[in-house]
Structures are given as C-alpha cells and as structure tokens.
Amino acid sequence: MLPFISVALRGAAKNKVSVAVLSSRSYASFTPQATFDIKPCEVHRLDQGPPTQAVLTREEGLKYYRTMQIMRRMELKADQLYKQKIIRGFCHLYDGQEACAMGIEAAINLTDHLITAYRAHGYTYTRGVSVKEILAELTGRRGGVAKGKGGSMHMYAKNFYGGNGIVGAQVPLGAGVALACKYQGNNQVCVALYGDGAANQGQIFETYNMAALWKLPCIFICENNKYGMGTAVERAAASTDYYKRGEFIPGLRVDGMDVLCVREATKFAADHCRSGKGPILMELQTYRYHGHSMSDPGISYRTREEIQEVRSKSDPITMLKDRLINNNMASVEEIKEIDVDVRKEVEEAAQFATSDPEPPLEELCNHIYYNEPPIPVRGTNPWAKLRSSS
Amino acid sequence: MAAARLLLRSAALKASLSDVSAGVQSSTAGGSLLRLSPSCSLRLKTQKRHATHFTFYPDPVPTNYGPTTKMNLFQSITSALDNTLASDPTAVIFGEDVAFGGVFRCTVGLRDKYGKDRVFNTPLCEQGIVGFGIGVAVAGATAIAEIQFADYIFPAFDQIVNEAAKYRYRSGNHFDCGKMTIRAPWGCVGHGSLYHSQSPEAFFAHSAGLKVVVPRGPVQAKGLLLSCIADENPCIFFEPKILYRAAVEQVPTDAYHIPLSQADIVQEGSDLTMVAWGTQVHVLREVANMAQDKLGLSCEVIDLQTILPWDKETVCKSVVKTGRLLISHEAPVTGGFAAEITTAVQEECFLNLEAPITRVSNDQLLESGNDELITDVVATLVD
C-alpha cells in the first residue's frame, strides 16, 4: 500500500492540478497521449505539407489549455478594466485567436525570435511575461512590462521585439532579425506576424523579396481574422489567398482555430527555415471576438450571429477541452480546477495592476537616448528639470 | 520678456489647475456607474484622470454665410465634405474605413448619400492611398484622401514630399495634383500613446509646394477645409482630434471659404503676442485671460491656421505693436515650426523686440502611453 501512496503523491507533486482529482478518479486511468486527425493545410509551392495527424500528450494538452485560458481571461479582464476607464487609450484584444499564439509557441523555442503588431498581449504572455506585468502595463503602472510607459501596443520580452503600433512596420524588422540569426549561424528562426489588413502594405512585399533573395530563416505569419479593422478581407485584398501572396515564397494555409494544426504547421515551417531553404509564409485562419479596438463594438460590419457561430462551433479553447475530455485525457473536474486557478491568477494580477503606483515624474524622459551621465531634456520652460538616462 | 515669463510663471495657474483636477476627479467618480470590484473602486477614489487639459473657446456665431446649425468639429468636417460631393461631381473620398464613417465619424452617411463609387474604403496602405490620390488629382478629379491618424502618414511621406509637393514644379506646370487634399486627425488627445498623438506639421512645413492647415474649431474647420479642397495646390489638413467632440459651435450649413495663409487674431492685446494653431489656441486664450486677471497684462492671441505658407505679415505687425512674442505648439520644440516663426520675426522685427522670443513646448513625448505623465507635462505647459 505504501509504495502506491508515494506514487500517487509524486504524481500530485509533479502535476498540481491532479491533486483534486485523486479522490474521484485514479491518475493512472487517464490516456497519457492520443493521436488526432487534423485539417490538412493548403500548400503553395510545396510538394508536401505538414502532417495531417498530431500527437498530443496529456501534459501538453493541459498546458495548452491553461495558457489559452489565461490569455482569454486576461483579455476579458482588460475589457472590463477598459470599460471602467482604468485602462485608457488604444487597446486591441486577442480573444478568439489564442490557438495561434499557443500553437506557434509550442512549435518553436523561446530562443527563437518573435515580433508582432499591436494585438500583442497574448504573445507577451507566451513569451514569458506575467499577467501582472501585462495588466499593469495596460493600466500604466510602475510594475508594467514597459515600466508603464508603453501601454497596450508596446510590450516586450527577451526575444520578443514587440508590440508595434504602425500597421505592417514590424515585418521588415522581423526579416532583419532573421538576417542576424543567419549571420550568426545559430540555427534560430524569426517569426514575423501581421494581420490580414497589414498584408496589403507595400513594405511587406519589399520584405518578401529581401527574405527570399537572401534565404532568411523567417516565418511570415499572417493572422487572418477576416477583418482589417472594419473592412472584410474580400473588400480590401485582390487576393485573399494570403498564403500565396509571397508568390516565390512557399506558403501554408492553416486552420488557426486549432492549436494542433498551428503547432504542426509551425514545426514544419521552422524545419523548413532551419534547413536553409529560406523563408516560408503561413496564413492562420482565425477570428477575433472583440472589435478591432475598444472603440469598435465589432458588430457594425459583421453580425452578432456570425460571432456567435464561431464561438459555438470553432472556439479554440472549447475544441481543445473537448478533445481532452472526450479522449479521457483529462476530467471535467480537472478542467474546472484549472479555470478556477486561472481566474484567481488574473484577478490577483488585476488587483496589482490597479494598486501599483504610477511611474514617477523623473521617469518621464528616461530612455529617449542612450546616455551616461544623464542629459537634460528641454521642457516647456527653461526651468523644467527634465533629464534622460538609460 | 522677463515680465512675460514672469507672468506665465507667477500667474501660476496652480490654483486653477487644482480646480481643474478637482473637477475632473468628481466627474470621474460620477462617471463610474459601472459596477466595480472592491479593489477597483478603491483605486478609483485616488485616481485623478484629466479628461481635458484646456477650455474650448467657441467662436461667435458667423453671420455672413447664411443659416447655421450646432455642430461639433467632426460634424462640420462631414458638412464640408457633403457640400463638396454635392457641388463637385468629380469629388471622391477614400481612406481606411471611411465608407463606414471613419474611426472619428467624419464621413458618416456620405457613402449612402453619394454612392459607394464616390466614398470608398482602401486597404491599409498609406503610401498607396496618397499615390493613388495624386493620380486621381492629376487626371482632373477632386481627391480627398483620409489618413486615419497623422501618426500613420509617414509611410506616405515619400509620395507627399517627393511626388505631390514637386509635381507642378518638376513638370514645368504641365501637371499638378492641386486637387488633392489629405485629411488626418492630429495632435494630442490624452491617453493616445505613441502612435496616436503626434503633431507632424513641421515635417511637411519643410516642403515647398504643399499647404499645411490646422483649424481651431468647427467653423474654421469647415471654411478652411473647403478652401483646401478648392485650392490648386496639394493640401494637408490636420484636424485636432481632441476637438472632434469637445468643440461645438454654430456652423453655417452652406459652403463657405476661409482664406488660407491668413492668420486670425482671435483676441487683441497690446503687451504680448501669442501664436498657436489647433488646440493650443484655446490653451493660450486661457493663459491670456489669466494674465489679464492676475497681472493686468493685455495679450494678443493669434491663430496661425495655415502653417505653410504662413502669414508672416499678421504676426510681424502684431509683434511691432506688442514688442513681445510667445509661440506654443504641441509638437517637439527642437525643429518645431515655432523655430521658423521665431527666426523670421527676429529678422523682420529685431528693433521692435523688447525681449527674446519664447517658445512654449517641450522635447518630451506628449504622446507617452502614460496618461498621468502626459497630464503632468500639459500642466507644466499651462503653468
């Protein structure tokens, strides 16, 4: 009997969530891993696409679930704080698109590089920044990831280059990062993300050309959520086959609502880049539940029914949850436990984000230039004692 | 100028500033009808969000342009565009999301009224929008392009500076794109962060061939926009976005024109000339009133209105009268347009000046993502 208990306890220590489950069912009775059929990708200039089957282990499944649920809850909390006027300014929420961030991160390493546009909260979290620091950045507090001076669109972490407010401007930067990877020969790749709206910016095509010309290890990812602000893709793009728009760059069209599809496709793309074949383009077909930004209710150019249908039929979190439960990889109680845990974490983070102090006035001018010792900065009058130090 | 500086320092609007913040605090509390979790409501009590940092001074009701209606700034823009589409069959409006009315509601209803071939959305590609606009204009149609925020205009910088501004000159007057007008929301709005608060007028003021215009309120906005559209030169029309809803005036419903390159003396005075454009005009009017009340000084406030080519004569005449000049803008002070005015005035009026010309602005990012920091800077500005 004793060894039995110790095994059970080890299991519990290893996986916190299983503690509550122990009483109702045995840990060992879960299916440790399962193989799932996933939607095949449409391919462009490729003989063969990513596999149409994906193996998911129980640990991975629970981890993905938790991460995606955190992103969802964090965005809903941000929405709430915004409506309470605690978060101000421009704020773009990621809920609905969680499978993209999770799938990409599950397929690359944290040593690989990532850059995205202004819908950045989800990636900031998957790149290792805490919910606390993200929400505190949104509320402009000292403990925010950019010291409370960046706000929604400007969040950064190691190997995560933001967070960029100008539509499409981050994509050439991503190719530059990929050039550095190639130059340093470190076998790393850079993921450069943009939306379907940005896909029409001229600088993206300039970047495709350079990346292909120099065979840069860059994965271009177009998160196609079907609307560039308020304009449906068909109204803005002569071709909505975003995965083909690199023309000479191979492309994949991926179901962006299925975390496993995204993961397998990104693995395929990363292998492509690491093997020296140059850039690859992925179109993730996804959906945002919220409007483009907080000033957009999100229902003037699409119907409530459309949003409801996506929510009920292809929600990425529900899809993963069903897979885990239907295949006996996790119990309903266990999932609930995670949900409670996630809510608690987000709630605590919100508490921090609303109680942490504002950055002090001395912080205002810091980091304009690199300089040592600090340089004076011109203020509104000759007596203003503003300084920049970095 | 010491006196002028003194007046700005010692008139120390500290008292009134604290009034402002107190007022805003109470309005924030009043606005918090949403249910808050205990932690949040706790925070709200100590919060001092400043809804606005200036008082809008409406113009008197214009009497010489026919019947008027109450409009805010975005409605006066819509009205100007409406007049244009009705009277000019070649006029087209395009930009990101303009078909639905635009993010600031300036084009609401125009697509339904004039058709989707005249008011249409473009993809998100600013360089393309302006290039396309030049083409439309050079072929003889009236092109009204919207760049969604002035901060987004930089991808189009090449088209504006190298193509639009120089088209007439480089073709020896064979071609021009004078029928193009570019509209863009501009300036500080509070909590606009880095890419939604900039005032880039000085970049374009460096480019001969363009006209750059900034209105201070709804009446001026409509008259100046119609002048820009009618003008035979490519114009950039920057709309102070904080005024879209905050500024309300009686605006004539018919079309009318306010001449470009003519500054407007909004308040006469004899001790100090103060020049600004856009939102900052209202800040200076407030300052002028305070200087009058607290120091008994009479300030002349001039709204420059057109940044390029600017009305040197009006400013210089005023400086000859007062002997002192202060210029204020939201854009950074280094290389800001105030520097150009300063130089020109000291060249023209050196012997009339009784004090060094002063610029009130700063090099710090008014567009910082942090609301509180912005408020502090703006407070210094008023101070």
Side-chain angles (χ1 to χ4, degrees), chain B residues 138-314:
Chain B
V138 79
T142 300
I144 304 166
E146 178 178 303
I147 297 294
Q148 198 165 61
F149 281 88
D151 314 61
Y152 303 172
I153 209 165
F154 300 112
F157 200 71
D158 176 61
Q159 285 290 341
I160 296 171
V161 172
N162 282 335
E163 304 302 323
K166 299 172 175 57
Y167 214 155
R168 188 186 293 277
Y169 185 83
R170 74 171 195 259
S171 69
N173 211 22
H174 275 100
F175 290 106
D176 68 82
C177 57
K179 286 179 177 297
M180 178 175 70
T181 303
I182 301 166
R183 296 176 40 245
W186 163 98
C188 186
V189 68
H191 54 78
S193 200
L194 289 90
Y195 301 126
H196 297 86
S197 305
Q198 294 175 71
S199 307
E201 68 274 14
F203 288 106
F204 299 99
H206 199 62
S207 195
L210 297 175
K211 290 196 175 180
V212 182
V213 178
V214 186
R216 67 166 182 273
V219 173
Q220 251 61 27
K222 180 169 175 181
L224 288 169
L225 178 56
L226 286 168
S227 295
C228 283
I229 293 168
D231 194 85
E232 286 301 329
N233 298 287
C235 295
I236 303 178
F237 190 75
F238 286 127
E239 300 161 6
K241 64 175 96 68
I242 198 169
L243 300 179
Y244 274 137
R245 287 169 197 271
V248 181
E249 288 174 344
Q250 287 294 128
V251 181
T253 45
D254 293 341
Y256 59 97
H257 294 88
I258 294 176
L260 302 182
S261 296
Q262 245 180 56
D264 190 10
I265 301 173
V266 292
Q267 182 179 320
E268 298 216 3
S270 54
D271 297 330
L272 165 68
T273 302
M274 301 202 285
V275 174
W277 46 93
T279 322
Q280 209 62 17
V281 172
H282 304 288
V283 176
L284 291 192
R285 290 188 77 165
E286 201 173 340
V287 171
N289 285 349
M290 288 165 178
Q292 183 70 59
D293 291 349
K294 310 213 167 171
L295 301 170
L297 288 169
S298 154
C299 299
E300 180 145 307
V301 180
I302 298 180
D303 177 4
L304 198 63
Q305 299 197 125
T306 304
I307 311 302
L308 186 74
W310 65 288
D311 183 1
K312 203 194 286 185
E313 197 182 333
T314 301

Side-chain angles (χ1 to χ4, degrees), chain A residues 100-101 103-109 111-117 123 127 159-163 170-171 173-175 177-178 181 188-194 216-223 262 266-267 269-270 273-274 280 282 284:
Chain A
C100 300
I104 292 167
E105 289 289 4
I108 60 172
N109 310 314
T111 48
D112 289 320
H113 308 263
L114 194 139
I115 185 164
T116 186
Y123 290 99
R127 287 269 115 181
N159 297 331
F160 174 52
Y161 304 81
Q170 75 282 6
V171 182
L173 270 70
V177 172
C181 294
Q188 292 167 357
V189 300
C190 181
V191 175
L193 291 132
Y194 53 94
L216 303 181
C218 188
I219 309 175
F220 295 106
I221 299 186
C222 174
E223 282 181 275
V262 178
T266 312
K267 272 185 189 165
C273 285
R274 289 194 221 275
I280 187 164
M282 284 165 61
L284 306 184

Side-chain angles (χ1 to χ4, degrees), chain A residues 83 141 231 354 368 378, chain B residues 34 43 97 191 359 361 364:
Chain A
K83 285 173 179 155
R141 303 307 164 89
T231 306
T354 47
I368 297 176
R378 293 169 85 164
Chain B
L34 285 154
R43 167 65 202 154
D97 276 354
H191 54 78
R359 292 173 287 165
S361 180
Q364 187 28 51

Side-chain angles (χ1 to χ4, degrees), chain A residues 182-224:
Chain A
K182 184 179 166 154
Y183 184 70
Q184 291 168 354
N186 55 19
N187 207 29
Q188 292 167 357
V189 300
C190 181
V191 175
L193 291 132
Y194 53 94
D196 49 275
N200 301 316
Q201 286 280 6
Q203 53 188 329
I204 298 213
F205 294 89
E206 298 176 28
T207 310
Y208 290 161
N209 184 49
M210 290 194 285
L213 186 68
W214 299 325
K215 289 204 182 318
L216 303 181
C218 188
I219 309 175
F220 295 106
I221 299 186
C222 174
E223 282 181 275
N224 174 6

